[in-house]
């Protein structure tokens, strides 16, 4: 086995006439935080969707720890250890925070109507075991006060944190975060960064993160890939890639403060 | 007042997931159950046979449907057809000599399989399209039932239920039929509540709320939806059989027509989507409210208080029924369950005015 | 004289949830004002109370007064307020996804004059040349930034005198954020349009507005000229990321309380 | 003493085309009975009227309630509801009348002791229409098209036609159309190509008007068209003047010049006690309703001779004492026996003359042996299954 | 061959008559985003309205516009009392609301105006148009022509600015409000227009079968039409209508003699089911845009 958790090789994805990804290749090392940046519509989310199975690539291969995963259904890929969050928060709004996070344990449970109907003691025991695990994650992300709230009444920042918690509960090998800090102010961003770092440290995760906040990207990511129009325009250590003139032109713009 | 919240703490995760966390609730449920069991002793046969018994059975049907519509979010406008399959299957099985207990189970399975096939066919779509697809299923099943004499029993299309016994008790007297129906409805109720607190139930809700988000944490949407259709159709099929054997004691295709499907959906909605108590309340309300209101108006008409024509009077139940559906959707979209909940909350926090959340 | 005045506005959702409590603010004619605050502070709610869009979310202004010019607008419906010159660009873009960008603009134009419509449309395309390139495709397939531009352009079609923008930079790339902020400033400067801007990106916002309100848990906790706020230590800590660059890798787990809540 | 009849009918679903007028006739007749004191001894009769919407569960509910209120006779005017309650009513020993609906084999009183189809069953109706064709134009080598609604009711005449076609040497073919029959063009295109000598239309409600219209549009002459009992004044209004010449089976006379109808007009309607729109008095379905109650009240009167209060058993016995009763000429004379609950199955054919129905044959029963045989076979099959 | 041709033509014309019912559905869906399962009942109500107005002794050419005005007003009232409060509710609620409305109308209208079939005489000649060996029903022919005209008019309507605004409303109520479109008025207009379409359908269908509650059963074939054509597509109404009509006539025309029962409802059901399985959004319908 290589020391790459995720390898995308010449991935191509088209939507009708639009080529959203053109031969994108990337390799994410184990334990690394890898950034994915680029202008809007450059294909970042599409790449993540290709990895997680929603829009399987039409060409190219994606491997997870050496195992090919492209073509598999999203739930299969999830059970192989890929967890993700969404650009637009995708929580189960009919459930409490706790149940949402418990859903993260789904791949370890075997939902079975019969067992559910009778709820025998072994099912109860299983439930409690998972609950214990969930409580640990809740502690880690400081979600305890919101545990019994309904998810749609809590503020967006907390919702994003719940989504992160749900992903963490799946004990993933690869955690994919799609703009976890969109719509947050400085303080909330700082919290989020802290949680991501803590989680990565505690669970030894590999993280793939899409983010538009350059300060966060440079602080958090070991390496980044910059996409533009579905094509790679730069790749490498965060600060270097972002300083690339093509990236500045297409994505960053000239610095606001000259100073 | 009645409820005592203070002093009830949960010291284990298990206790936190109990069905009835508050002792008062527990006692209430036990009390109701005893009352229900003893109903044949103190309810007149008229009321038992034409109000209580159908209410119990339709509650079971509403529970079956709300598993699919309320928890899994899969709209189904052809559930009467599922029940028809169960009813016809059970009668033919019993006639063929299969013991009643087994026939119930088998008819449930047959409904489940057919229901899941139709469900599976429609799984790519949701919302309005699912409504239409299930509606088409209703028509197809209706057609097959009417046009295949082997199923409907020929031109007159009425099949009588043979005499049967359940676990050696003959299901003949009104009380026996009532108890069997009650037993099934209670069983379904407990099932349903268990489902809600286990991973299967959560997976259903997840599929309903955000199917792609469910997929990304490892829920197989297709399988889960199929399972929902299967389970719900199983429950509906057995309920159909119970309806045939315990209530109608004869089946005709009209008993399971499109309007019955609508009525079931109305029960589920008026009760409150996905709610146990709502299924009971909704079934009772939709079934009985038009009857009582019409009786009231015809009583008034007979006494000459409100001069209305026979024609108008006869159309009144329809009007009431339609107005009731509209009224609930406009005034309390969350249904009777929500009203119940508000009342309960009121007592929970009494003497304070507002609940914490 | 200030164009828009809010006095002690209180909004309740679902008859129970008190979302903002006694918010007062003003936006002057041609002025550019920002509303800052953390998540769930009640910024969007404030904007909706001004544009009259609380209804669909079961929200209600239960107390206070909102004046636009010299008229109270509390009893007006949303379309009437738009006719009066108040327009709200909703959070999350919410363009008409099944319509083309051009049709989005048509739908938003209220008048009857074709000439005026063409004029407005040309103006929108002048501000946002990218939209013209995507004129034929369904708006639902535009990229996030393009959708945001369309949402602003669509709002401009109503010929507003005050435009309220709810988190226009949400999810946009740094370049687009600059671009959008630039255009907002330009619109404000060129047409004398008042702007009420809700933003998380405090640094960029405070650069272009003249005044700002800080809102926390449904209450205005601080207000003043942008320069003054920028130099406030709390604002710096919680909104601007300290002096210049935060060291994210070393932020503290537990932080001190905000002074304005003490 | 107050005798109670449960008229628990379908006012809102499938049978709306008939129920309003039919039930009005029933209620008005009962009002006449009370006004005239027909039952004697100061006895009165009350109708318990309720809508079942053609839904068995509502029928069961209504039945139980009416039973509790003391009703001894029931008329559901709905095949599914009648079917659903049949067994229980038999067990309760309550009389169920099924005029112009329900199962034909219930005419066998040995198998269905408490059920009275009362008038000609659909089988008898088909036979009567065939016989009329035979008498007017002959049958041998002729072609009959039966255009029917695709439901158990529509398929009812099938076996009779089969039996008669062998006996009378004619040819026939069935052309079903989808319920509710608002669009039948495909069926009639085929009928036209079949070139039938006679056409039998077998439907109900709006579908009947569509049948007549589409038939005529397909070049079929009105005189060729023969209809089951469900073709009345409302359909004629609907079709328009072109319907002149169309024939139908009738079990009771229509029109207002019959002694009973006249007395209803006088003592009930003019006294302001009518139960519905005056214009309906004398229509076919109204008169049918009157006739049903005339028979039922006669049975009640006879039944009460044996003692009061009237029980279901006594009412059944009363029915079986009725002999040669014709409601003062409103209907063919009927005689019920313990075996025959159809009362002979007589009827006649009438023709629409543009304004009213004019009888073109006499009251009598067609092919009675054949009908009886079919009834007994079917009843025996039912008995064997139970 | 002539038989086939006749089935084809009468099927197509019948289908267009269904289109008249379906058009009302599409008008409302396309401009308000509401799947109106009460359209059948609306047709029934319109039929009663035409009958009622004609019973006052008015000539057809006056009666129909008058009935149309009544139904337009009725549509506005429905919007005002019911639909206005359903903004932003999940589809099941809206579907059920329209079904509740359908049940209410089915009770109220015949309950008040009488449930025996009412005649409508449009004065259309009975005799068919005969071309060779093919008979064509005049009512269906006129119905078909009117359907074509109405569909054309609707197409043009949705190109206008008002039409664009209605489409915007069906996309997103809140943002329509935000740019000053009166959602209430838009939905009211769409219901009013559907009411007018219902008058045409009610008058034509009522003239051939009489007016009673069974007119509301036209909903089912109309649903097949809109599913096949696409719930929000005006041209889909035409194509869907013709296909449903032709398939529902030709297939039973040949099958019924074997299958024993009338297979038209089966054909209609299968059209719905297969369309949803193969191409859920119908021939011309728009796909939902769902971005993850
Ligand atoms: N389901 C889809 N159907 C059609 N086109 C799509 C679809 N999803 C994405 N696209 C197109 O693919 C391109 C890439 O979109 P994508 O969402 O991956 O961008 P992104 O880099 O994530 O942008 P942002 O930063 O705004 O989130 C865009 O042009 C978009 O219009
Ligand atoms: N429809 C609603 N029903 C109930 N509560 C609501 C509703 N909308 C918002 N709230 C609550 O009102 C409060 C203020 O919400 P608002 O959307 O105005 O915040 P915001 O400042 O715009 O936050 P964000 O930065 O997340 O957009 C929040 O606590 C939120 O949970
Ligand atoms: Mg993206
Ligand atoms: Mg907001």
């Amino acid at each position: 086995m290589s020391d790459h958790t995720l390898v995308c090789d010449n991935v191509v994805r088209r939507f009708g006439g639009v080529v959203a990804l053109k031969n994108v290749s990337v390799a994410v090392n184990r334990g690394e935080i890898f950034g994915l940046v680029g202008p809007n519509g450059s294909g970042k989310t599409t790449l993540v969707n290709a990895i997680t199975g929603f829009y399987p690539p039409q060409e190219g291969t994606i491997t997870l720890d050496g195992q090919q995963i492209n073509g598999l259904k999203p739930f299969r890929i999830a059970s192989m250890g890929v967890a993700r969050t969404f650009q637009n928060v995708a929580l189960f709004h009919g459930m409490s925070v706790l149940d949402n996070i418990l859903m993260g344990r789904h791949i370890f449970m075997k939902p079975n109507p019969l067992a559910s109907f009778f709820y025998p003691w072994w099912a109860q025991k299983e439930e409690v075991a998972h609950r214990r695990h969930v409580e640990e994650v809740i502690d880690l992300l400081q979600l305890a006060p919101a545990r019994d709230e309904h998810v749609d009444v809590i503020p967006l920042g907390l919702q994003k944190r719940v989504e992160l918690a749900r992903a963490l509960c799946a004990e993933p090998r690869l955690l994919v975060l799609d703009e976890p800090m969109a719509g947050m102010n400085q303080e909330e961003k700082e919290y989020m960064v802290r949680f991501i770092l803590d989680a990565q440290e505690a669970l030894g995760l590999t993280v793939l993160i899409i983010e538009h906040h350059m300060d966060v990207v440079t602080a958090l990511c070991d390496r980044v890939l910059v996409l533009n129009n579905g094509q790679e325009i730069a790749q490498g250590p965060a600060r270097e890639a972002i300083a690339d003139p093509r990236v500045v032109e297409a994505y960053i713009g000239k610095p606001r403060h000259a100073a | 007042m009645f409820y005592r919240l203070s002093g009830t703490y949960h010291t284990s995760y298990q206790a936190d997931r109990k069905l009835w966390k508050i002792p008062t609730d527990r006692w209430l449920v036990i009390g109701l159950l005893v009352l229900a069991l003893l109903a044949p002793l103190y309810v007149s046969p008229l009321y038992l046979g034409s109000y209580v018994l159908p209410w119990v059975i339709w509650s079971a049907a509403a529970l079956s449907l709300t598993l699919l519509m309320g928890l899994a979010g899969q709209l189904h406008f052809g559930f009467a057809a599922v029940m028809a399959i169960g009813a016809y299957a059970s009668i033919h099985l019993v006639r063929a000599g299969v013991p009643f207990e087994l026939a119930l189970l088998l008819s449930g399975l047959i409904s489940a399989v057919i229901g899941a096939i139709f469900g599976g066919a429609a799984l790519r779509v949701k919302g309005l399209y699912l409504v239409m697809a299930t509606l088409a299923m209703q028509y197809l099943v209706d057609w097959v039932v009417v046009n295949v004499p082997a199923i409907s029993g020929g031109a007159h299309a009425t099949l009588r239920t043979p005499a049967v016994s359940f676990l050696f008790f003959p299901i003949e007297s009104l009380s026996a039929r009532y108890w069997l129906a009650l037993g099934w409805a209670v069983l379904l109720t407990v099932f349903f509540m268990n489902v809600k607190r286990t991973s299967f139930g959560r997976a259903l809700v997840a599929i309903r709320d955000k199917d792609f988000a469910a997929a990304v944490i490892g829920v197989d949407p297709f399988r889960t939806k199929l399972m929902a259709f299967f389970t719900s159709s199983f429950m509906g099929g057995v309920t159909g059989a119970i309806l045939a054997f315990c209530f109608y004691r004869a089946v005709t295709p009209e008993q399971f027509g499109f309007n019955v499907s609508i009525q079931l959906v109305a029960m589920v909605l008026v009760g409150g989507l996905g709610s146990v108590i709502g299924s009971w309340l909704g079934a009772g309300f939709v079934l009985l409210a038009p009857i009582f209101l019409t009786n009231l108006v015809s009583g008034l008409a007979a006494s000459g208080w409100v001069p209305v024509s026979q024609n108008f009077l006869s159309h009144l139940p329809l009007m009431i029924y339609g107005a009731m559906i509209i009224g609930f959707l406009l005034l309390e979209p969350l249904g009777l369950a929500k009203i119940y909940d508000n009342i309960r909350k009121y007592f929970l926090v009494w003497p304070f005015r507002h609940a914490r959340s | 004289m200030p164009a828009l005045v809010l006095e002690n506005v209180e909004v309740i959702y679902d008859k129970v949830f008190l979302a903002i409590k006694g918010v007062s603010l003003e936006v002057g004619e041609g002025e550019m004002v920002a509303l800052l605050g953390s998540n769930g502070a009640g910024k969007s709610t404030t904007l909706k109370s001004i544009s009259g869009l609380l209804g669909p979310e079961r929200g209600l202004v239960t107390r206070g007064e909102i004046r636009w010019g010299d008229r109270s607008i509390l009893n007006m419906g949303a379309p009437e307020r738009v006719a009066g010159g108040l327009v709200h660009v909703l959070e999350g873009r919410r363009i008409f996804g099944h319509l083309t960008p051009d049709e989005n603009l048509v739908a938003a134009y209220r008048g009857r004059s074709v000439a005026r419509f063409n004029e407005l449309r040309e103006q929108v395309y002048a501000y946002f040349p990218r939209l013209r390139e995507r004129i034929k495709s369904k708006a639902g397939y535009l990229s996030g930034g393009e959708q945001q531009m369309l949402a602003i352009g669509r709002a401009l079609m109503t010929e507003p005198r005050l435009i309220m923008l709810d988190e226009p930079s949400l999810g946009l790339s740094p370049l687009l954020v600059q671009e959008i902020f630039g255009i907002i400033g330009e619109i404000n400067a060129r047409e004398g349009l008042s702007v009420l801007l809700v933003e998380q990106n405090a640094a960029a916002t405070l650069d272009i507005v003249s005044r700002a309100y800080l809102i926390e848990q449904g209450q205005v906790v601080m207000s003043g000229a942008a320069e003054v706020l920028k130099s406030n230590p709390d604002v710096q800590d919680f909104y601007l990321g300290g002096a210049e660059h935060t060291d994210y890798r070393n932020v503290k787990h537990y932080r001190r309380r905000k002074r304005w809540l003490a | 003493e107050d005798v109670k009849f449960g008229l628990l009918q379908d006012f809102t679903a499938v049978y709306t085309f008939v129920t309003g007028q039919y039930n009005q006739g029933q209620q008005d007749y009962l009002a006449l009975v009370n006004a005239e004191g027909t039952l004697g001894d100061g006895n009165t009769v009350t109708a318990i009227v309720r809508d079942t919407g053609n839904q068995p569960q509502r029928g069961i509910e209504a039945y139980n309630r009416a039973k509790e209120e003391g009703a001894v006779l029931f008329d559901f005017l709905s095949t599914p509801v009648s079917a659903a309650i049949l067994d229980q009513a038999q067990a309760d020993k309550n009389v169920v009348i099924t005029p112009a609906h329900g199962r034909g084999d219930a005419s066998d009183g040995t198998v269905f002791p408490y059920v009275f189809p009362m008038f000609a069953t659909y089988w008898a109706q088909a036979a009567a229409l065939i016989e009329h064709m035979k008498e007017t134009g002959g049958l041998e080598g002729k072609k009959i098209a039966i255009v029917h609604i695709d439901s158990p009711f529509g398929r009812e005449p099938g076996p009779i036609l089969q039996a008669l076609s062998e006996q009378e040497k004619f040819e026939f073919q069935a052309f079903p159309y989808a319920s509710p029959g608002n669009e039948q063009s495909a069926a009639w295109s085929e009928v036209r190509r079949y070139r039938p000598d006679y056409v039998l239309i077998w439907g109900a409600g709006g579908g009947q008007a569509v049948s007549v219209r589409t038939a005529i549009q397909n070049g079929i002459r009105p005189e060729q068209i023969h209809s089951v009992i469900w073709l009345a004044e409302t359909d004629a209004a609907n079709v328009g003047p072109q319907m002149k010449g169309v024939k139908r089976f009738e079990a009771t006379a229509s029109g207002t010049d019959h002694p009973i109808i006249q007395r209803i007009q006088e003592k009930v309607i003019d006294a302001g006690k009518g139960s519905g729109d005056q214009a309906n008095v004398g229509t076919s379905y109204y008169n049918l309703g009157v006739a049903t109650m005339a028979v039922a009240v006669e049975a009640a009167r006879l039944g009460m001779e044996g003692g009061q209060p009237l029980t279901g058993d006594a009412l059944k016995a009363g029915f079986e004492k009725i002999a040669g009763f014709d409601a003062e000429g409103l209907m063919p004379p009927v005689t019920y026996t313990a075996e025959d609950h159809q009362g002979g199955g007589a009827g006649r054919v009438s023709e629409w003359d543009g304004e009213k129905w004019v009888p073109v044959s006499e009251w009598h029963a067609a092919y009675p042996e054949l009908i009886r045989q079919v009834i007994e076979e079917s009843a025996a099959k039912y008995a064997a299954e139970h | 061959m002539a038989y086939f041709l006749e089935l084809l033509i009468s099927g197509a014309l019948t289908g267009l008559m269904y289109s008249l019912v379906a058009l009302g559905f599409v008008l409302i869906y396309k401009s308000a985003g509401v799947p109106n399962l009460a359209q059948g009942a609306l047709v029934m109500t319109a039929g009663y309205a035409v009958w009622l107005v004609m019973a006052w002794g008015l000539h057809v050419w006056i009666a129909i516009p008058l009935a149309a005005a009544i139904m337009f007003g009725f549509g506005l009232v429905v919007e005002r009392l019911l639909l206005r409060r359903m903004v932003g509710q999940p589809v099941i609620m809206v579907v059920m609301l329209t079904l509740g409305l359908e049940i209410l109308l089915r009770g109220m209208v015949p309950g008040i105006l009488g449930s025996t079939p009412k005649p409508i005489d449009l004065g259309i000649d009975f005799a068919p148009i005969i071309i060779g060996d093919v008979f064509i029903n005049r009512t269906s022919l006129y119905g078909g022509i009117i359907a074509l005209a109405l569909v054309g008019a609707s197409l043009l309507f949705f190109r206008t600015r008002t039409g664009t605004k209605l489409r915007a409303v069906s996309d997103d109520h809140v943002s329509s409000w935000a740019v000053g479109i009166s959602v209430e008025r838009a939905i009211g207009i769409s219901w009013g227009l559907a009411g007018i379409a219902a008058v045409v359908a009610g008058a034509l269908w009522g003239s051939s079968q009489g007016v009673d509650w069974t007119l509301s059963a036209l909903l089912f074939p109309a649903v097949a039409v809109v599913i096949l054509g696409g719930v929000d597509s005006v041209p889909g109404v035409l194509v869907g209508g013709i296909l449903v009509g032709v398939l529902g006539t030709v297939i039973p025309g040949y099958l019924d003699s074997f299958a024993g029962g009338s297979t038209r409802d089966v054909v209609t059901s299968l059209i719905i089911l297969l369309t949803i399985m193969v191409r859920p959004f119908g021939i011309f319908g728009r796909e939902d845009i769902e971005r993850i």
Side-chain angles (χ1 to χ4, degrees), chain A residues 151-164:
Chain A
V151 280
D152 41 358
V153 303
I154 62 174
L156 184 87
L158 268 186
Q159 292 187 5
K160 291 220 157 201
R161 222 189 286 172
V162 173
E163 215 186 353
L164 178 61

Side-chain angles (χ1 to χ4, degrees), chain D residues 24 28 255-256 261 264-265 269 277-283 286-287:
Chain D
Q24 190 184 343
D28 285 357
T256 49
I261 306 295
I264 289 179
Q265 181 70 41
I269 312 283
D277 188 353
Q278 271 216 43
N280 290 337
V281 177
T283 58
Y286 181 93
N287 286 8

Side-chain angles (χ1 to χ4, degrees), chain E residues 27 30-31 153-160 163-164 166-167 234:
Chain E
L27 281 174
K30 198 175 169 74
S31 45
S154 309
L155 269 180
L156 290 181
F157 173 71
F158 280 112
R159 302 246 159 119
T160 64
T164 310
L166 293 194
R167 281 165 56 210
V234 175

